[in-house]
Amino acid sequence: VDQVNFQNPTNWLYAQENQDLSVIPFSNIHIFVNNAPTFKSTPVTSVNMNAIYTYEIITEDIDGDLVTVTAPTIFSWLTLNTAGTILTGRAPDQVGVHTIVLNVNDGFGGSTNQSFTISVLDVSPPTIITQNITTLLNANGLASITYNQLDNGSTDASGIEFITIDKNSFDCSNVGPNTVTLMAMDVYGNSATATAIVTVEDSIAPTPLAVASFTIQLDEFGSDIVITAENIDNGSTDNCEIASISIDKNTFDCANLG
C-alpha cells in the first residue's frame, strides 16, 4: 500500500511505503488498511410521471464493516428507508431530470458517493373526447369541417401538440353518417385516436324549371293525350342530383279543353 496507519491506544503514525518500521518506538502496534465501501447496484434512471420509482441499493465493504447509506442530495418526492437499502417514491406529474447523490460510509473514514439522475418521462397518450356532429351541404354540394368541431375537450398532462382528422371534406356521395377519426399527439410524441360520426345532410331543395306554356291538340276522336315530365322539364337543377321528376297530371282528353 502507499500509506498505512499505525495505532496504539492513544497514538496514530503515518508511514510511507518502504519506510523502516524498526525505528518506531511504540509497542502493541496494529497495522490495518481500511478499504472504502462501494455501491454494487446500478441506479434506476427513469420513471414515468405519477408512477412509483424504486431503486434497490446494494453496497459492499470488503472489510466487513457495518456501513451507513445516506442521501445528501434527494428530492422531496423520494424517500430513503432507514436501512439505506430502498430509494422509492411516486414521481411527480411533470417531466424533468432530478439529480440524486447517495453516500455509503463505513465509520472508519471510508466513504463513497454514487451520483445519478432520474428522468421523469411522459409516456401516456392524450385523452381524446369526441362529439358527433351534423353538417349541411352547400349550394355546390360540398361541406367541410375542422377538428375543433369534433374535439370535445381532449386533454394531456404535458399539453397537446396538435390534433388532426382523417377526413374534413364531404360531397353528395357522403350524405348520411360518416365515421371520422380524430388523432391527437402530445409534446412528447405520444398519440391516441378516437372516432366521431359526421352526418352529412342535403337540405337544399331542387330548383324546378318548366318550359313555357304550350298547347297540345286532341285528335278527331278526342282520344286521351299523354305527356311526360320530360315534356315539361326545362333544365331543373339541384346542388346534388335530381333523383326523379314527376308531374301531377299527364293525361288529357276532351274534358280538359281550355
Side-chain angles (χ1 to χ4, degrees):
V1 295
D2 294 331
Q3 179 173 295
V4 295
N5 296 335
F6 300 86
Q7 182 184 32
N8 68 11
T10 59
N11 295 284
W12 288 85
L13 288 179
Y14 301 93
Q16 299 299 321
E17 184 180 12
N18 301 322
Q19 183 175 342
D20 184 2
L21 304 182
S22 64
V23 300
I24 303 300
F26 298 103
S27 60
N28 298 324
I29 294 176
H30 302 282
I31 300 176
F32 70 95
V33 176
N34 183 48
N35 297 281
T38 58
F39 288 92
K40 303 300 290 183
S41 52
T42 301
V44 177
T45 57
S46 65
V47 63
N48 297 336
M49 291 192 311
N50 293 311
I52 299 298
Y53 173 90
T54 301
Y55 169 34
E56 297 183 6
I57 302 166
I58 302 174
T59 60
E60 181 181 62
D61 189 294
I62 62 175
D63 300 327
D65 298 327
L66 182 65
V67 300
T68 301
V69 177
T70 58
T73 302
I74 192 174
F75 279 79
S76 59
W77 58 275
L78 288 168
T79 301
L80 180 65
N81 68 346
T82 303
T85 56
I86 300 290
L87 181 66
T88 188
R90 182 176 293 277
D93 60 356
Q94 184 175 3
V95 170
V97 178
H98 304 261
T99 299
I100 307 298
V101 178
L102 302 179
N103 175 268
V104 58
N105 192 299
D106 63 8
F108 295 103
S111 177
T112 301
N113 283 340
Q114 185 180 65
S115 300
F116 58 96
T117 59
I118 301 174
S119 297
V120 178
L121 308 175
D122 177 4
V123 296
S124 299
T127 299
I128 300 181
I129 304 172
T130 61
Q131 61 184 354
N132 301 329
I133 64 169
T134 297
T135 187
L136 301 178
L137 296 175
N138 62 18
N140 296 315
L142 301 174
S144 63
I145 63 171
T146 66
Y147 77 84
N148 305 81
Q149 294 172 265
L150 303 184
D151 181 34
N152 195 27
S154 302
T155 61
D156 185 81
S158 299
I160 293 178
E161 181 76 6
F162 64 86
I163 300 177
T164 62
I165 51 178
D166 66 344
K167 184 174 180 61
N168 64 355
S169 60
F170 304 88
D171 57 28
C172 296
S173 66
N174 303 121
V175 170
N178 299 266
T179 299
V180 177
T181 300
L182 183 147
M183 189 277 286
M185 179 176 291
D186 69 14
V187 295
Y188 294 103
N190 305 303
S191 64
T193 61
T195 60
I197 300 299
V198 176
T199 301
V200 177
E201 293 183 352
D202 175 15
S203 63
I204 300 177
T207 302
L209 186 61
V211 298
S213 299
F214 63 95
T215 300
I216 57 175
Q217 296 291 330
L218 297 175
D219 63 17
E220 67 271 21
F221 303 106
S223 302
D224 292 349
I225 294 180
V226 177
I227 65 172
T228 66
E230 285 74 16
N231 299 130
I232 303 298
D233 181 42
N234 192 30
S236 302
T237 61
D238 186 71
N239 60 332
C240 287
E241 293 182 1
I242 295 178
S244 65
I245 299 178
S246 63
I247 53 178
D248 64 346
K249 184 175 179 61
N250 65 352
T251 304
F252 301 90
D253 58 21
C254 294
N256 301 119
L257 291 175

